[in-house]
Amino acid sequence: MKAKKTLNAVAKACLLAGIVSGTVFGSMTAAAETIAIKAARVITDPALPPRGTSIILVENGRITAIGDDIAVPKDARTIDLSGYTVMPGLIDTHVHLTFDPNIRWNPVTETREYAVAITLHHAETLARAGFTTVRDLGPDQFFSQAARDAVAAGLHPGPRIIAAAKLSIIGGHGEPARMNPEVMDALDHGTSCTGAEECAAKVRLAFRNGAQAIKIMATGGSMTPGNALGQHFTDTELTSIVKTAHGLGMRVAAHSSGADGVRAAILAGVDTIEHGTFGQDAEAKLLRQQGGALSPTLSALDHVRRTVGTGVYSPLVDQKNAEVARVVGRMFQAARRAGVRIVFGTDSGVYPHGEGAHEAELMASLGGMTPTEILTSATTTAAAELDLSSETGSIAAGKAADIIAVEGDPLKDVSALKNVRFVMTRGAVIRNDKADQGSQDGAGARSGI
Ligand SMILES: [Zn+2]
């Protein structure tokens, strides 16, 4: 009896702590200060003409005004970004914060606590590269959620993180497979399901545990040794997952490689096709008809292409990567022809974090997207996909102060996104190259963390 009582007391205390701290939804502790950003050129929204000389007023993490004749409060800290193009922070809807080719969590030898440390480290790298919002698509919702909440509480620099829960079939993409069964049992973290009922239950459980989106492995993946690249979940399972997630207000992002799996995921009503690797015109037209979007992840496909035959991956993986390498950009080009909405997503973590601007270059070179289209995809379109349009994606009064500055003009050449010089996430300055070089402007740039 005594043990039961203690357990109940602990459960109640935990529940209370969760509700009080607001960790379920992520509370933001904004720096209580006023910042006046001086700019000579501002892209407030890539679809609108850029502004000239402007002042952007930021109070307690939010943009309160933008204009050229704004009265700056006496106690405001001034940051001069007049040598740069100021623009909304970038949004990447497809990242893996726990992975990176260089720093990669090993679930066999390293703890889950260490995985969270890696996750936070990569989150900061992405933020410093200009990404002020990212959606983490796994491997584990709890890593993303821990990082999301720590960043939102102001404990660590990083982007706003949307944490997704991952679901695969047993032995599917990202799941343990072809090992000693006892080892696989130990590595199993409940991210697979079988049948409509169990899959719905897993989605509900993920929601209960704090996930904000569902990532499904609709097909096999080239990076998982052994499995084929075609459809994995059955049509019934896919429909169950999508309906349950939508009922709970969560979007579904579907890793989709083989064309049969791409079609099945689209027909089940997923919100985004991730990669869509072997899709062609028929799949792109279907996606357009169903109202879904494509997250092209060209950087990852390009990375795969560049590593084939180099010995980076095992022969089993390399064999599938060689198939992928032959069709890099195919679904993306078909989607462009079909008029499919393109949501900026890179698969950062498959290649080193911080190189997301390369995606923009590939969108231009492989699909002929204009700089305006690319910037829109990485700001307002991505914000809408994450249900964050009222919060971020453009520079406007009332929105969170997610602001970056780059050298050059990204509306002329998207390669300028490689030259990020200043990053503010929800009002916290986490990068200011000018200040770091000893200028008076923006001194104490790091104090906003
Ligand atoms: Zn991915």
Side-chain angles (χ1 to χ4, degrees), residues 344-356:
F344 195 88
T346 68
D347 220 348
S348 186
V350 166
Y351 63 92
H353 290 291
E355 298 177 6

Side-chain angles (χ1 to χ4, degrees), residues 80-338:
D80 185 0
L81 299 177
S82 52
Y84 306 132
T85 301
V86 175
M87 60 175 288
L90 301 168
I91 300 171
D92 191 339
T93 64
H94 187 143
V95 306
H96 299 283
L97 294 174
T98 315
F99 296 144
D100 182 288
N102 304 316
I103 308 171
R104 192 177 175 84
W105 177 57
N106 184 336
V108 177
T109 56
E110 290 157 359
T111 61
R112 291 170 61 76
E113 289 78 3
Y114 189 64
V116 175
I118 293 177
T119 302
L120 279 168
H121 171 75
H122 289 147
E124 180 173 3
T125 304
L126 280 174
R128 288 183 60 80
F131 291 88
T132 56
T133 302
V134 299
R135 180 168 64 176
D136 188 359
L137 297 184
D140 187 307
Q141 74 178 93
F142 294 103
F143 304 159
S144 321
Q145 288 169 206
R148 172 193 73 191
D149 296 344
V151 170
L155 305 180
H156 198 281
R160 175 187 294 96
I161 297 169
I162 303 298
K166 183 212 98 157
L167 276 180
S168 308
I169 63 163
I170 294 172
H173 190 34
E175 288 292 308
R178 310 289 175 109
M179 288 185 252
N180 179 337
E182 286 161 19
V183 173
M184 290 191 284
D185 281 348
L187 292 173
D188 189 336
H189 287 116
T191 52
S192 64
C193 62
T194 305
E197 212 167 309
E198 195 195 2
C199 288
K202 285 284 169 78
V203 170
R204 290 177 183 134
L205 199 58
F207 176 81
R208 188 179 80 176
N209 286 336
Q212 296 156 293
I214 299 293
K215 159 79 177 298
I216 54 167
M217 302 304 192
T219 70
S222 59
M223 296 293 192
T224 303
N227 65 44
L229 295 171
Q231 180 172 351
H232 271 188
F233 281 115
T234 65
D235 294 351
T236 316
E237 287 166 340
L238 287 170
T239 306
S240 169
I241 291 168
V242 172
K243 282 199 165 169
T244 309
H246 285 174
L248 292 166
M250 294 189 291
R251 303 228 175 186
V252 180
H255 159 97
S256 318
S257 189
D260 59 343
V262 174
R263 279 195 300 280
I266 296 169
L267 288 170
V270 302
D271 298 278
T272 48
I273 291 293
E274 310 291 323
H275 329 297
T277 316
F278 292 92
Q280 302 195 57
D281 286 322
E283 286 73 32
K285 279 180 193 155
L286 193 62
L287 185 55
R288 171 73 204 254
Q289 275 168 22
Q290 296 284 317
L294 177 72
S295 166
T297 70
L298 300 167
S299 311
L301 300 175
D302 186 53
H303 169 81
V304 162
R305 175 165 59 187
R306 283 185 280 118
T307 56
V308 170
T310 61
V312 170
Y313 297 105
S314 68
L316 265 180
V317 168
D318 219 32
Q319 199 184 338
K320 287 193 285 181
N321 280 350
E323 287 176 49
V324 170
R326 282 195 284 276
V327 295
V328 175
R330 190 166 84 176
M331 178 62 172
F332 174 57
Q333 285 152 4
R336 291 280 295 151
R337 283 192 291 274

